[in-house]
Amino acid sequence: MTTINPAEQLTVEELRELVPQLQQLTEKYKRAELVQKALFDISELASSVSELGSLYPAIHEILGELMTARNFFVALYDHNEESVNFTYFVDEFDELTLRSFPAAQLKRGLTGYLLRSGEALFLRHETIEAQLKGLDVENIGAAPVDWIGVPLKKGRQVIGAMVIQSYDESERYGEDDLEFMLFVSQHIVNALERVKSRELIEKTIKERTQQLENINSELEEEISERQKIEQLQQALFEISELSANVEGDMATFYASLHDILSRLISAPNCYIATLNEAGDHLEFPYFSDELTTEISSRPLGRGLTEYVLRHGQAALIDTVNVSDLAVQGEIDPQTAGNMNANFNSWLGSPLIVEGEIYGVIAVQTYNENKAYGHRDLELLRFVSHHIATAMERKRAAEAIQRTNQMLEEKVRERTEALNRTAENLRKQIEERKEIELRLIHDAHHDALTGLPNRVMFNNRLELAVANKQRHKEHNFAVLFIDLDRFKQINDTLGHHAGDLFLIEVAKRIGKCIRGHDLLARLGGDEFVVLLDNFETLEDAEDVASRIIDSLSRVFVLDDKEMYSGASIGIASIEPWYQSADEVIRDADAAMYQSKSTGRGRYVVFDKSMREKLLEELALENEFRRDLREKAFECYFQLAATLETKEPLYFEAYIRWEHPKLGKIKRDQFYKVAEDSGLTLELDEFLIGQACALLRQWQYSDGPEKRYSIAINMSVNELVQPKLIDKILDFIRASGVNPYHLLFEFDESQMNRRSQHILPALKKLKKAGIQLVLDNFGSGLASLSYLYSYPFDYVKIDHRFVKSLPRSQKNLKMIQSVLNIGEHLNFKVIAEGIETAQQFRELVRIGCLYGQGHYLEPARKLSIKAPAKATNS
């Protein structure tokens, strides 16, 4: 089968129609090729051109190959100076006399529009007026036929503008030209930046090279000067050595001086002239001259040497000034003639010892090209002084040597001392740095366990609270750990064992948590854990269970086995927490809740606990206020003889009626007082009420004059001797007989402080106050109190009385206490008698004293204010 070419099917007319399209496509490809070549040329320019002055004409030439660009300029905007610099400007009609203009002056012009808008602009002759009105700019310069301007941008910042324009109708621009200008503008900016950078680098290199050359020249001058100084120092040193070493061969000494001078200044001819003892002749101990081999002593005249002797100063005499000196009569004419004839240049300086001139040292040349200058004169003047004192220094050389050795030794010792001081300072600085690092560590860590302390834990916890507020999906929790029986371990085994116990606890807890969790010790036996980034709250509970299980195992301390445990409160961090203190507070509350429900368990905090805490806090605040205002009502419960109901004493206690909650149970508000540390204030209030009532009774004529009052006292007073003294001073000041006061102490409280209270009880007993052991049988080891402490009364706990007569076991216990009381001389009071059956049973077994509502209900006794004293 034959395949037919589609081109063969086109007609001639169709082919003719395709020709323009093909030509247009060809032109497009040619232009694209030219554009690519232009970009390549611009890139080559950026690599080859080293200064901007050569770059702009080359860019102009490249643009001219693609479009008509006889009128072309580049303007760069200087942001720091707020000015526009026309770095390149070629125009047929406009001449630019100034190259730099303030930016504000060009703001309303076409160039200013490009710089402030950052947008390209294409103006055509036919629409230029309308376009200018729409752009709100003013045309500056000759009106063009076509005008194209594009901004030059470095990133988003406009750094300049590039403009071409035409004044000839035959030279028009099109959109292709605008696109080409926009396309190459960024490449031109890159080329500009590269050339500017290279130009800046080359400029910097030139400036640096020039600086280095200047520095090198200065260094060479300094080196030359230093070399001259070193030569002078060497010469002086050699002169000093000569004066110290020569022993009498003065000819050798003077010859050596001449050799030294020759290295400092040109001294082919040198002599030393000295005055004789009479002072009227010159002698020449040393003479070396190119023209004269010998010289003899001569009387003083008008020679060059005499001129220096007369004036006492160094002098430079040459063919320039010798004639003037001859005219002035300072030098004889013959000497002046000889100097002019030989082109003589002469330097002379006096030799002075102890202020007296004894001679002259002189050098001279016979070559007009080697004449001396003032620097040579100053040098000779300086050296002559050292030469003059050479002999004097010779005599003092040994003394100077000894002095120098002593000074050198002092310098060496001082240097060693300074080195030791510097070393000590270095060590002190290093020690201070170590101390600062240690202080920073100690400020954030517990000294005993090495764990983070409260400060560091709070900082980390604050970050966790902030993290939870931003990222609610992140989970954090705080475990508040309180140890069981820590005080018992301290009291029984000592503080060393207690420290070992805490260290072991820290290790065990650390093994129960992950590496990125934070374990800290707040103080005492309280530890906290910050659990970081766990899945569910059950994970935190698992950690708490592991800790409780680990701490419940046996501890071996000082070869003794001890058991402890832990109560843990868990608080999960929620977005509504504002601070670390709030989280720790709630975890602490949950821990107390776990202790109250039984040790060795954990409790997770919830809002009901917070409400309960707030209620307890409100109750505590109101209790504080009422105690401060003494708003409590004081009631008295009779303790009497069972058979006659004769009063034994009245037990004073307070009742608190809350405005909203009604009557608060006695145990409840006593717990509030103990938790808030107000037991001492409460006891003082009761003592004050009791003393006021006793004062009132002692002035009456009734039987109450013999009555006594008992007060329930906190054991906290007994462990502070100063408080006991304060209470006794108050009782004495009130004028009450202490015998009418009884202090009741709860047996359960004494169990916790038993080893500290015996001295205080003895002091109270000695002051006359009777002592009562309250709630006997409610605590542990109760019988030890009966034998060891000086109690006057023992009150049987009301729970034993309540079970009568049905509990024979409790009845036997009461009988046993009664028997012990007969032997140990204390009275037994049955507390809480409520029924006639209880009363009869107690009387039957021989109990003499009792207390309860059956005998007499508690009543409120009125306390009158003391009468004011009157002046008689």
Side-chain angles (χ1 to χ4, degrees):
M1 179 180 292
T2 304
T3 302
I4 300 174
N5 190 342
E8 295 176 356
Q9 297 178 1
L10 296 177
T11 64
V12 175
E13 294 298 329
E14 289 174 338
L15 291 173
R16 288 178 178 175
E17 291 178 357
L18 288 174
V19 169
Q21 297 179 9
L22 294 173
Q23 290 178 343
Q24 186 177 3
L25 185 60
T26 302
E27 290 296 327
K28 182 178 181 181
Y29 284 138
K30 288 182 178 180
R31 183 171 181 84
E33 183 179 359
L34 291 174
V35 170
Q36 290 295 329
K37 181 178 180 300
L39 295 179
F40 178 77
D41 292 341
I42 292 173
S43 177
E44 286 294 316
L45 283 175
S47 301
S48 61
V49 175
S50 61
E51 57 181 13
L52 293 174
S54 303
L55 178 66
Y56 299 122
I59 292 175
H60 188 185
E61 183 179 350
I62 291 171
L63 291 177
E65 293 177 358
L66 290 172
M67 59 173 54
T68 303
R70 286 201 298 272
N71 304 289
F72 171 74
F73 68 83
V74 176
L76 296 180
Y77 178 46
D78 189 337
H79 289 270
N80 295 327
E81 299 293 334
E82 291 290 334
S83 63
V84 178
N85 299 316
F86 287 85
T87 57
Y88 184 75
F89 189 88
V90 176
D91 195 273
E92 296 176 299
F93 296 99
D94 285 341
E95 290 187 5
L96 195 65
T97 57
L98 296 176
R99 289 288 180 176
S100 180
F101 295 89
Q105 183 177 342
L106 301 179
K107 183 178 180 182
R108 306 291 296 173
L110 295 175
T111 306
Y113 173 79
L114 295 177
L115 296 176
R116 57 187 165 87
S117 68
E119 297 178 357
L121 184 60
F122 181 18
L123 301 178
R124 299 183 64 85
H125 178 68
E126 294 80 7
T127 59
I128 189 170
E129 294 183 359
Q131 286 180 288
L132 291 178
K133 290 181 180 179
L135 298 176
D136 191 23
V137 298
E138 298 175 1
N139 192 13
I140 298 177
V145 173
D146 285 343
W147 191 93
I148 296 178
V150 294
L152 300 178
K153 294 183 178 180
K154 184 179 180 182
R156 295 186 177 181
Q157 185 181 24
V158 179
I159 64 171
M162 183 172 65
V163 176
I164 61 171
Q165 54 188 336
S166 169
Y167 298 105
D168 192 342
E169 289 289 346
S170 63
E171 297 175 354
R172 303 300 298 271
Y173 299 134
E175 293 296 332
D176 291 344
D177 298 317
L178 175 60
E179 292 180 1
F180 173 70
M181 292 280 286
L182 289 169
F183 183 68
V184 301
S185 63
Q186 187 58 45
H187 294 277
I188 292 174
V189 169
N190 294 335
L192 287 174
E193 291 299 316
R194 291 173 64 182
V195 174
K196 285 173 65 178
S197 177
R198 187 182 301 111
E199 187 179 53
L200 179 60
I201 291 173
E202 291 179 355
K203 181 180 178 182
T204 303
I205 291 173
K206 289 181 180 179
E207 291 177 352
R208 185 58 180 165
T209 302
Q210 184 61 42
Q211 290 177 356
L212 292 174
E213 289 178 354
N214 294 338
I215 292 172
N216 186 54
S217 177
E218 293 175 357
L219 286 174
E220 289 179 352
E221 292 180 1
E222 184 176 351
I223 290 171
S224 177
E225 190 65 27
R226 285 181 178 272
Q227 289 176 344
K228 293 178 180 179
I229 293 174
E230 290 175 358
Q231 291 176 354
L232 177 59
Q233 291 176 341
Q234 180 65 24
L236 297 179
F237 175 76
E238 292 178 5
I239 292 172
S240 178
E241 286 293 312
L242 284 175
S243 63
N245 296 329
V246 69
E247 296 180 354
D249 188 357
M250 296 305 297
T252 303
F253 173 70
Y254 294 133
S256 298
L257 287 179
H258 184 189
D259 182 62
I260 294 170
L261 280 177
S262 298
R263 296 200 300 270
L264 295 178
I265 57 178
S266 178
N269 309 288
C270 175
Y271 68 87
I272 295 176
T274 59
L275 288 170
N276 64 359
E277 293 182 2
D280 55 358
H281 276 72
L282 286 178
E283 296 178 349
F284 299 92
Y286 178 76
F287 186 86
S288 177
D289 192 86
E290 297 172 325
L291 301 182
T292 305
T293 58
E294 295 180 1
I295 188 171
S296 58
S297 176
R298 62 176 177 83
L300 294 178
R302 289 288 172 176
L304 302 178
T305 303
E306 290 85 339
Y307 175 81
V308 172
L309 290 174
R310 287 196 304 272
H311 293 278
Q313 295 179 353
L316 167 59
I317 303 174
D318 54 18
T319 56
V320 175
N321 61 356
V322 68
S323 300
D324 295 334
L325 292 175
V327 172
Q328 296 170 8
E330 294 286 347
I331 295 176
D332 63 80
Q334 183 180 357
T335 300
N338 292 334
M339 288 192 68
N340 287 324
N342 296 318
F343 302 103
N344 196 199
S345 180
W346 183 89
L347 287 177
S349 180
L351 300 175
I352 302 174
V353 175
E354 297 181 357
E356 295 291 332
I357 300 175
Y358 74 94
V360 172
I361 182 170
V363 294
Q364 56 186 336
T365 66
Y366 302 109
N367 189 336
E368 61 181 338
N369 296 323
K370 296 182 179 180
Y372 296 121
H374 288 283
R375 186 180 181 283
D376 300 320
L377 177 64
E378 293 298 325
L379 185 60
L380 181 62
R381 177 186 292 117
F382 182 75
V383 174
S384 65
H385 170 72
H386 294 273
I387 293 174
T389 57
M391 295 306 297
E392 185 66 24
R393 289 179 58 195
K394 176 179 172 57
R395 290 191 297 269
E398 292 183 359
I400 292 174
Q401 185 177 6
R402 290 193 298 269
T403 303
N404 288 339
Q405 289 176 349
M406 184 173 60
L407 289 175
E408 288 175 1
E409 182 65 21
K410 289 183 178 179
V411 170
R412 186 186 61 79
E413 292 175 357
R414 182 58 177 165
T415 302
E416 291 177 354
L418 290 175
N419 291 336
R420 290 193 297 270
T421 302
E423 181 65 20
N424 291 333
L425 287 175
R426 185 186 63 81
K427 291 181 179 179
Q428 291 177 10
I429 291 171
E430 292 178 354
E431 292 174 356
R432 181 177 289 273
K433 289 181 179 178
E434 293 177 359
I435 291 171
E436 289 177 354
L437 293 175
R438 188 162 59 250
L439 288 175
I440 293 172
H441 180 274
D442 293 346
H444 293 84
H445 290 79
D446 176 51
L448 176 63
T449 63
L451 296 176
N453 60 10
R454 182 186 295 272
V455 174
M456 185 174 179
F457 185 81
N458 280 359
N459 292 340
R460 283 283 301 275
L461 186 53
E462 290 287 358
L463 295 176
V465 171
N467 189 312
K468 184 67 175 179
Q469 291 173 349
R470 294 192 299 270
H471 306 286
K472 295 180 176 56
E473 69 278 8
H474 293 175
N475 293 324
F476 304 91
V478 170
L479 275 60
F480 198 105
I481 305 167
D482 185 78
L483 304 177
D484 297 335
R485 290 184 288 278
F486 173 64
K487 185 177 183 302
Q488 182 181 356
I489 293 173
N490 257 346
D491 293 341
T492 56
L493 300 182
H495 291 286
H496 174 68
D499 292 343
L500 296 177
F501 170 70
L502 293 174
I503 294 172
E504 178 63 22
V505 166
K507 292 179 181 179
R508 293 190 184 186
I509 298 176
K511 295 178 180 179
C512 297
I513 61 176
R514 299 165 298 177
H516 60 273
D517 297 329
L518 179 65
L519 169 63
R521 181 188 176 205
L522 298 186
D525 60 346
E526 293 180 342
F527 292 81
V528 285
V529 174
L530 174 61
L531 298 180
D532 185 2
N533 197 17
F534 55 88
E535 294 295 331
T536 64
L537 189 58
E538 285 76 9
D539 296 334
E541 295 177 359
D542 291 341
V543 175
S545 298
R546 289 200 299 270
I547 294 173
I548 291 173
D549 180 66
S550 177
L551 297 182
S552 65
R553 295 193 289 270
V554 65
F555 290 84
V556 179
L557 306 173
D558 289 340
D559 298 327
K560 293 182 176 62
E561 292 186 354
M562 297 292 295
Y563 287 89
S564 181
S567 300
I568 300 178
I570 304 175
S572 179
I573 300 179
E574 302 296 339
W576 40 263
Y577 278 114
Q578 297 297 318
S579 68
D581 291 338
E582 295 178 359
V583 183
I584 295 177
R585 175 201 64 197
D586 291 348
D588 189 21
M591 183 274 295
Y592 275 106
Q593 182 69 20
S594 70
K595 292 184 70 171
S596 63
T597 57
R599 299 175 184 273
R601 64 186 63 195
Y602 65 83
V603 170
V604 179
F605 183 84
D606 57 26
K607 291 187 177 180
S608 63
M609 294 183 190
R610 181 177 291 106
E611 293 172 357
K612 183 179 178 181
L613 286 173
L614 293 175
E615 290 177 1
E616 292 178 353
L617 182 61
L619 190 65
E620 178 184 331
N621 292 335
E622 293 174 359
F623 181 80
R624 287 178 181 274
R625 185 187 65 248
D626 290 348
L627 180 60
R628 184 173 60 251
E629 297 175 358
K630 299 182 179 180
F632 296 115
E633 294 180 343
C634 191
Y635 282 78
F636 296 87
Q637 177 73 50
L638 173 67
T641 304
L642 293 182
E643 291 185 355
T644 63
K645 295 187 179 180
E646 179 71 19
L648 186 63
Y649 64 80
F650 290 88
E651 180 184 352
Y653 64 91
I654 62 173
R655 286 182 179 176
W656 184 27
E657 186 165 352
H658 193 274
K660 294 182 180 179
L661 303 177
K663 289 184 179 180
I664 308 298
K665 293 182 179 180
R666 182 178 177 184
D667 293 340
Q668 184 178 1
F669 71 74
Y670 262 94
K671 185 177 183 305
V672 171
E674 186 173 355
D675 292 342
S676 56
L678 297 175
T679 56
L680 302 180
E681 289 81 355
L682 187 60
D683 291 347
E684 290 177 357
F685 171 74
L686 279 172
I687 292 173
Q689 294 291 308
C691 290
L693 186 57
L694 287 173
R695 280 198 309 271
Q696 181 177 320
W697 284 349
Q698 72 183 11
Y699 293 111
S700 67
D701 296 327
E704 61 269 17
K705 191 170 185 176
R706 303 188 306 273
Y707 294 165
S708 300
I709 296 178
I711 302 165
N712 284 282
M713 297 289 289
S714 172
V715 180
N716 294 330
E717 279 88 340
L718 299 180
V719 297
Q720 301 186 47
K722 290 185 178 179
L723 291 178
I724 295 295
D725 294 337
K726 181 180 178 183
I727 291 171
L728 293 177
D729 292 341
F730 177 81
I731 294 171
R732 295 188 190 100
S734 66
V736 172
N737 187 351
Y739 180 78
H740 290 290
L741 281 173
L742 296 91
F743 284 175
E744 296 190 3
F745 297 99
D746 186 84
E747 182 199 39
S748 298
Q749 291 186 0
M750 293 184 66
N751 283 332
R752 299 193 295 268
R753 302 288 182 89
S754 59
Q755 69 272 30
H756 302 293
I757 62 177
L758 183 58
L761 291 176
K762 290 182 178 180
K763 181 178 287 188
L764 292 174
K765 184 77 172 178
K766 184 177 181 181
I769 296 173
Q770 302 181 72
L771 304 177
V772 182
L773 177 62
D774 195 11
N775 295 326
F776 178 76
S778 61
L780 302 174
S782 303
L783 291 177
S784 65
Y785 300 127
L786 304 181
Y787 291 96
S788 304
Y789 296 96
F791 288 109
D792 299 284
Y793 298 92
V794 173
K795 293 174 71 173
I796 303 295
D797 187 72
H798 66 91
R799 286 171 290 190
F800 294 97
V801 177
K802 185 178 181 180
S803 64
L804 300 180
R806 66 179 183 277
S807 176
Q808 291 299 312
K809 181 179 179 180
N810 289 342
L811 185 64
K812 295 295 185 182
M813 194 281 291
I814 296 174
Q815 286 179 318
S816 299
V817 177
L818 290 172
N819 293 331
I820 296 173
E822 291 180 2
H823 292 287
L824 299 181
N825 196 27
F826 61 79
K827 299 178 178 65
V828 179
I829 302 172
E831 185 180 15
I833 303 174
E834 303 291 339
T835 66
Q837 289 179 327
Q838 296 168 355
F839 176 79
R840 287 193 297 270
E841 196 68 20
L842 289 169
V843 172
R844 185 183 68 79
I845 64 174
C847 183
L848 300 180
Y849 307 101
Q851 185 181 24
H853 288 288
Y854 178 78
L855 298 178
E856 181 180 293
R859 55 191 173 125
K860 180 179 180 182
L861 299 179
S862 60
I863 302 175
K864 298 178 182 179
K868 294 182 179 180
T870 58
N871 297 326
S872 57

